[in-house]
Amino acid sequence: MNNSRVVVSLDFPDAKQATELCQKLDPTACKLKIGKELFTREGPALVERFINTGFDVFLDLKYHDIPNTVASACRAAADLGVWMLNVHASGGRVMLETACEALDKSTHKPLLIAVTVLTSMADEDLREIAISNSVDKQVMLLAKLTKSSGLDGVVCSAKEAKHLSAELGKEFCLVTPGIRPVNSSSDDQKRIMTPAEAIVAGSHYLVIGRPITKADDPLEALNAINAEINSVA
Ligand code: C5P
């Protein structure tokens, strides 16, 4: 495992485009995130190929099902050799604990983190599914459940990182998207933070897509972000 805190989000429709980008990156200077689209099109073979090239891979499939099914899926991901994977905290304590137990038994133990409330949801969306908590309250409730169930951390907005880090401790792993270096386009992200701000707020890993993947020189963009992180870490 390398010690880079940047996870490059491979939001590409196929292996060709994802591979072209990765050939421009340095596996010792970043990690990769593979999500539902790329995985559904290209499958575990692509994950294995990136791992064999030396990249740490975060498999972002957000498992949410009955405990036995989620545990089996987590074990399958661990067998692939991924560095990190995730589940939905709203699957509940038994699902979370069973997933942890499954990974404890695997020879290669990846980090297991949880998604709390999807950032696409607002208070009124929660009310519609009979959750009367505000989004903020529900995020904290699910983050505490995640920690007490034995997982390593949560995905959260960098804006939530300071509060979560204060409540749950600095060891609890915070993985944050919505990162934009100064002077880069915010694209469709609404609540953004710079890499340095996010690290200072308590983020452990930064999920960054377009500022790197759409840069004229992706490695130069990555190196600049790493330098910014190192200046505050
Ligand atoms: O290109 P950009 O840096 O905006 O990519 C961010 C990545 O993080 C995308 O894969 C996006 O789906 C993911 N993400 C996010 N906000 C969340 C959860 C995940 O931007 N709340």
Side-chain angles (χ1 to χ4, degrees), residues 120-225:
S120 52
M121 297 190 86
D123 291 354
E124 46 287 14
D125 299 303
L126 293 186
R127 275 200 296 279
E128 200 170 21
I129 54 171
I131 295 170
S132 54
N133 279 343
S134 65
V135 168
D136 288 350
K137 219 168 161 194
Q138 189 69 3
V139 166
M140 186 57 76
L141 180 146
L142 289 173
K144 286 182 175 167
L145 175 69
T146 299
K147 186 175 180 193
S148 68
S149 301
L151 280 75
D152 299 294
V154 288
V155 182
C156 68
S157 134
K159 303 273 180 194
E160 295 160 352
K162 201 169 172 190
H163 191 199
L164 287 171
S165 181
E167 284 283 325
L168 299 163
K170 291 197 181 333
E171 298 304 305
F172 193 60
C173 184
L174 304 179
V175 179
T176 57
I179 305 297
R180 288 295 180 271
V182 177
N183 294 332
S184 80
S185 160
S186 56
D187 303 304
D188 53 356
Q189 295 283 8
K190 297 213 171 67
R191 300 195 309 139
I192 55 175
M193 272 199 180
T194 66
E197 285 170 343
I199 294 294
V200 170
S203 299
H204 292 65
Y205 296 104
L206 312 182
V207 173
I208 307 180
R210 288 159 289 182
I212 294 171
T213 60
K214 302 268 187 253
D216 292 337
D217 184 339
L219 185 58
E220 187 181 278
L222 171 62
N223 287 340
I225 291 170

Side-chain angles (χ1 to χ4, degrees), residues 24-194:
K24 297 178 188 155
L25 298 174
D26 173 356
T28 66
C30 66
K31 303 175 193 301
L32 303 176
K33 176 172 94 69
I34 295 184
K36 288 192 173 90
E37 182 186 12
L38 194 55
F39 187 81
T40 302
R41 287 193 193 280
E42 304 291 349
L46 184 67
V47 177
E48 282 177 319
R49 205 174 334 135
F50 286 136
I51 292 172
N52 290 338
T53 330
F55 286 101
D56 292 335
V57 172
F58 167 21
L59 190 62
D60 179 21
L61 297 181
K62 302 183 183 74
Y63 298 132
H64 188 179
D65 208 314
I66 59 170
N68 182 57
T69 302
V70 168
S72 304
C74 287
R75 209 174 303 120
D79 290 346
L80 265 180
V82 304
W83 158 72
M84 177 186 273
L85 69 148
N86 59 2
V87 296
H88 270 282
S90 50
R93 182 178 299 280
V94 177
M95 189 203 85
L96 295 170
E97 288 179 349
T98 312
C100 280
E101 283 160 21
L103 293 181
D104 283 342
K105 285 187 213 127
S106 67
T107 42
H108 165 88
K109 190 174 175 302
L111 291 173
L112 180 63
I113 61 167
V115 173
T116 57
V117 179
L118 294 170
T119 45
S120 52
M121 297 190 86
D123 291 354
E124 46 287 14
D125 299 303
L126 293 186
R127 275 200 296 279
E128 200 170 21
I129 54 171
I131 295 170
S132 54
N133 279 343
S134 65
V135 168
D136 288 350
K137 219 168 161 194
Q138 189 69 3
V139 166
M140 186 57 76
L141 180 146
L142 289 173
K144 286 182 175 167
L145 175 69
T146 299
K147 186 175 180 193
S148 68
S149 301
L151 280 75
D152 299 294
V154 288
V155 182
C156 68
S157 134
K159 303 273 180 194
E160 295 160 352
K162 201 169 172 190
H163 191 199
L164 287 171
S165 181
E167 284 283 325
L168 299 163
K170 291 197 181 333
E171 298 304 305
F172 193 60
C173 184
L174 304 179
V175 179
T176 57
I179 305 297
R180 288 295 180 271
V182 177
N183 294 332
S184 80
S185 160
S186 56
D187 303 304
D188 53 356
Q189 295 283 8
K190 297 213 171 67
R191 300 195 309 139
I192 55 175
M193 272 199 180
T194 66

